[in-house]
Amino acid sequence: MSSQHIRQRIQSEFRRQQLMLDKEALALLVDHVEHAPTGIDAVYTVIEKLEADNHSRITGPLVQEALQRLGNVPMGAVLLQTFDCFDLPKVRFDSVRQRFYSVKEPLTLHATAQDRYRMYLDRLLLLYQRLRRDKTFSKPALAEADIDQNATYCQLTDVKAMLGCTGQTRFLLGCISQLQDGTYYLEDMTGSLQLDLAQCQTSSGLYTENCIVIAEGELDHRGIFRAAALGMPPVESREDSRAATKGLQMFGNDNLKASDWMAVEEAEQAAQADRLVVLSDVWLDKPEVLDQLHIVFSGFNGLETVPSAFVLMGNFQSQPAPTASTDYSAIRENFKTLGSIISQYQRLQEESRFIFVPGPGDPGPANVLPRPALPAYFTADLRQLLPTAVFASNPCRMRLYTQEVVLFRSNLQNHMRRLCLIPPTCSSGERVSSADALFEHLCVTVLQQSHLCPVPLENQSVYWHYDHALHLYPAPDLVVLADSAASAQFMFKDTACVNPGSFSKRTFAAYNVYEHEVELSEVPTEEMVVS
């Protein structure tokens, strides 16, 4: 039976059931029937599993849910999954029982003051439990028998226990806070100590208020902790982190069975030419940017293997949207134009997934993290032209084959640099001046903090109940820190980090899934093409 005949039979049966199918749902059903041993009869089984009581129009997500209940998800739906930050499972560390557990309480945007305290405590406990497993800070079981190991052991001291320890070098783990204007303190679960950072040296990272640090220093006679050095809690491997969570799902609601996971691993090994393409600052109101999109899409459309996904990140206009002069109908028309451009490249439209992540200047609610997807009003026409498009939150999590990817659009690099309490330095002791070196410090900071935005709430608001959506634990395979700063990449431990730069300045990035490598790219100008 041909695909056209299958498509007609499926549409006829759904019309008989007084149900309408969109393009994505129809494509999934055709793929399911073509691979089902029972042929067209498989459609009736899917209809039985559909939860369409309140739906006259059947969409792709509804069909995917029905196929999941059948335990037969099409491979295309398995290889790439996105997770909205408002739907992520919340996991918390119990410091008494020394284990993680799932939080079942309902989450709300309007949290209480107690939730704000709990948010900071969760951040501190997350790093504390990780630090306890680090050999440098875990006391040897046979300290007397292993002199060398005992010599490198650093014992952490609670803030409360510093009373009477004047003049003795101690190591403290705590959060830098400003309890009084212009005066910084180090806080942990037992108390707080005033900090003196005048003679302090730092390891790699951007040290701002709200960062959780390991401070080495002494308590002077005034009760002030004079820090000689600051460092951040070291990261650990993904395998160690997953072992600590004991199977709890922290990245997203991923319900793949073991047999499906094996198939995904095999597909990843075969996808040696597959890529994830990331573009940021796609200004749809600029004709030159639309021309650049044509060049990029045309180039990838001609490849033997087209990318699995294109991630288009905001801002989607050159001027911030929430202003009195904003023409919202023009923004909607710009997205419709984008849909028309994509539809000109049939292979990309059919074989690639397009994911849209809003930026801080795009229309939507206040600039609070996590940020929901673009409002449906602006993307309605684009959805009609591109039914398989995914409109994600900011940040957004994605599983591409077996790899975990975090997408975040924020001007974080310059923001954190301005908030630094101590200017970042390079290995020679000189202040960091290059954009690449500053990006490396940013990557080290967010991965060691296990948090995408460890800055004061006064500078970047966060929904207190949804702060876990900004956690980077266990460390993902790829972190996209899209920023208006110059494009850069950095590999820290097992995690690749990339800033694709601004597409309005002709730069973007591609991630090779098989090689686990980032390729920084630039759209050629007319002069480059001629030469």
Side-chain angles (χ1 to χ4, degrees), residues 190-245:
T190 65
S192 61
L193 272 178
Q194 185 176 337
L195 269 178
D196 180 1
L197 302 174
Q199 304 297 323
C200 185
Q201 297 181 342
T202 60
S203 59
S204 297
L206 303 176
Y207 293 82
T208 68
E209 183 184 344
N210 271 27
C211 274
I212 296 170
V213 300
I214 302 169
E216 177 187 2
E218 299 178 354
L219 190 69
D220 65 15
H221 65 280
R222 300 171 298 167
I224 299 175
F225 188 79
R226 293 186 298 176
L230 287 183
M232 294 190 181
V235 298
E236 65 180 1
S237 66
R238 279 188 290 274
E239 291 72 21
D240 290 341
S241 296
R242 286 169 179 157
T245 60

Side-chain angles (χ1 to χ4, degrees), residues 461-520:
S461 299
V462 174
Y463 291 117
W464 302 339
H465 263 183
Y466 290 94
D467 185 66
H468 66 285
L470 305 179
H471 289 181
L472 293 175
Y473 184 85
D477 295 275
L478 173 66
V479 179
V480 177
L481 299 171
D483 199 299
S484 57
S487 60
Q489 62 171 313
F490 182 58
M491 190 78 179
F492 186 65
K493 304 297 184 181
D494 298 328
T495 301
C497 301
V498 60
N499 171 20
S502 178
F503 190 67
S504 62
K505 299 176 183 176
R506 315 186 75 87
T507 63
F508 66 99
Y511 176 67
N512 187 300
V513 180
Y514 181 78
E515 298 290 345
H516 194 49
E517 291 181 352
V518 174
E519 306 163 1
L520 297 178

Side-chain angles (χ1 to χ4, degrees), residues 325-475:
S325 60
T326 300
D327 185 351
Y328 291 109
S329 61
I331 295 177
R332 175 169 176 156
E333 189 64 28
N334 290 338
F335 277 107
K336 182 179 179 180
T337 302
L338 174 61
S340 300
I341 292 174
I342 296 174
S343 62
Q344 296 177 32
Y345 303 94
Q346 185 176 1
R347 290 188 64 206
L348 300 184
Q349 187 181 18
E350 295 178 353
E351 301 177 35
S352 300
R353 186 71 63 88
F354 286 82
I355 301 166
F356 296 86
V357 178
D362 286 320
N367 191 22
V368 183
L369 296 176
R371 187 183 179 94
L374 291 164
Y377 167 78
F378 300 102
T379 60
D381 297 328
L382 175 58
R383 292 172 191 264
Q384 292 292 327
L385 295 168
L386 194 65
T388 58
V390 176
F391 296 91
S393 59
N394 181 26
C396 164
R397 298 184 185 185
M398 176 173 66
R399 184 178 57 74
L400 182 59
Y401 295 95
T402 65
Q403 300 185 32
E404 296 176 349
V405 180
V406 174
L407 307 167
F408 185 43
R409 173 63 180 94
S410 176
N411 296 321
L412 188 62
Q413 182 169 311
N414 292 330
H415 193 185
M416 288 200 71
R417 176 63 187 90
R418 289 195 302 268
L419 295 173
C420 277
L421 304 179
I422 303 172
T425 57
C426 52
S427 56
S428 62
E430 299 178 354
R431 289 192 179 186
V432 168
S433 56
S434 69
D436 286 348
L438 188 58
F439 182 71
E440 293 179 9
H441 279 269
L442 175 66
C443 298
V444 169
T445 302
V446 297
L447 290 174
Q448 292 189 138
Q449 293 292 310
S450 290
H451 199 277
L452 279 170
C453 193
V455 300
L457 294 179
E458 293 78 9
N459 299 98
Q460 175 57 68
S461 299
V462 174
Y463 291 117
W464 302 339
H465 263 183
Y466 290 94
D467 185 66
H468 66 285
L470 305 179
H471 289 181
L472 293 175
Y473 184 85

Side-chain angles (χ1 to χ4, degrees), residues 7-258:
R7 185 177 291 105
Q8 292 174 351
R9 288 284 302 274
I10 292 173
Q11 290 175 321
S12 175
E13 182 57 35
F14 273 81
R15 279 196 297 268
R16 193 176 67 82
Q17 300 282 344
Q18 296 183 346
L19 297 172
M20 295 290 292
L21 284 170
D22 69 9
K23 292 182 180 179
E24 182 185 6
L26 181 59
L28 287 169
L29 287 168
V30 170
D31 181 76
H32 173 65
V33 171
E34 288 179 338
H35 294 88
T38 57
I40 194 66
D41 292 338
V43 172
Y44 305 109
T45 309
V46 175
I47 292 175
E48 292 176 359
K49 295 294 182 180
L50 275 173
E51 293 182 351
D53 297 340
N54 300 319
H55 303 274
S56 60
R57 182 179 178 83
I58 304 301
T59 62
L62 284 174
V63 173
Q64 282 193 16
E65 291 175 5
L67 292 172
Q68 285 177 342
R69 283 188 286 275
L70 287 171
N72 188 12
V73 185
M75 182 56 70
V78 171
L79 298 182
L80 190 153
Q81 284 187 307
T82 57
F83 305 101
D84 191 281
C85 278
F86 292 95
D87 299 325
L88 297 178
K90 187 170 186 176
V91 177
R92 180 174 287 163
F93 183 74
D94 188 331
S95 59
V96 177
R97 299 180 180 177
Q98 297 293 306
R99 64 177 180 85
F100 285 94
Y101 66 96
S102 297
V103 177
K104 301 300 183 182
E105 63 188 42
L107 304 181
T108 175
L109 299 183
H110 307 289
T112 65
Q114 180 65 24
D115 295 313
R116 182 177 187 271
Y117 161 77
R118 185 74 233 193
M119 176 189 70
Y120 284 118
L121 183 60
D122 286 344
R123 291 189 193 181
L124 181 61
L125 288 176
L126 185 67
L127 298 191
Y128 169 73
Q129 61 84 29
R130 191 183 76 193
L131 191 63
R132 287 175 59 250
R133 290 190 295 275
D134 190 273
K135 292 182 179 180
T136 305
F137 298 93
S138 55
K139 188 175 182 179
L142 301 174
E144 295 182 359
D146 194 345
I147 298 175
D148 293 336
Q149 188 177 10
N150 191 39
T152 60
Y153 164 62
C154 300
Q155 182 175 0
L156 292 175
T157 303
D158 292 337
V159 167
K160 185 179 180 180
M162 288 298 294
L163 184 64
C165 295
T166 305
Q168 301 177 26
T169 301
R170 289 287 187 269
F171 293 89
L172 308 180
L173 173 70
C175 178
I176 300 177
S177 58
Q178 190 175 181
L179 302 183
Q180 299 177 10
D181 288 343
T183 305
Y184 293 97
Y185 289 77
L186 191 69
E187 285 190 285
D188 68 3
M189 293 172 287
T190 65
S192 61
L193 272 178
Q194 185 176 337
L195 269 178
D196 180 1
L197 302 174
Q199 304 297 323
C200 185
Q201 297 181 342
T202 60
S203 59
S204 297
L206 303 176
Y207 293 82
T208 68
E209 183 184 344
N210 271 27
C211 274
I212 296 170
V213 300
I214 302 169
E216 177 187 2
E218 299 178 354
L219 190 69
D220 65 15
H221 65 280
R222 300 171 298 167
I224 299 175
F225 188 79
R226 293 186 298 176
L230 287 183
M232 294 190 181
V235 298
E236 65 180 1
S237 66
R238 279 188 290 274
E239 291 72 21
D240 290 341
S241 296
R242 286 169 179 157
T245 60
K246 299 188 184 301
L248 284 176
Q249 187 59 256
M250 299 183 71
F251 188 77
N253 293 303
D254 196 344
N255 299 317
L256 281 183
K257 298 183 295 185

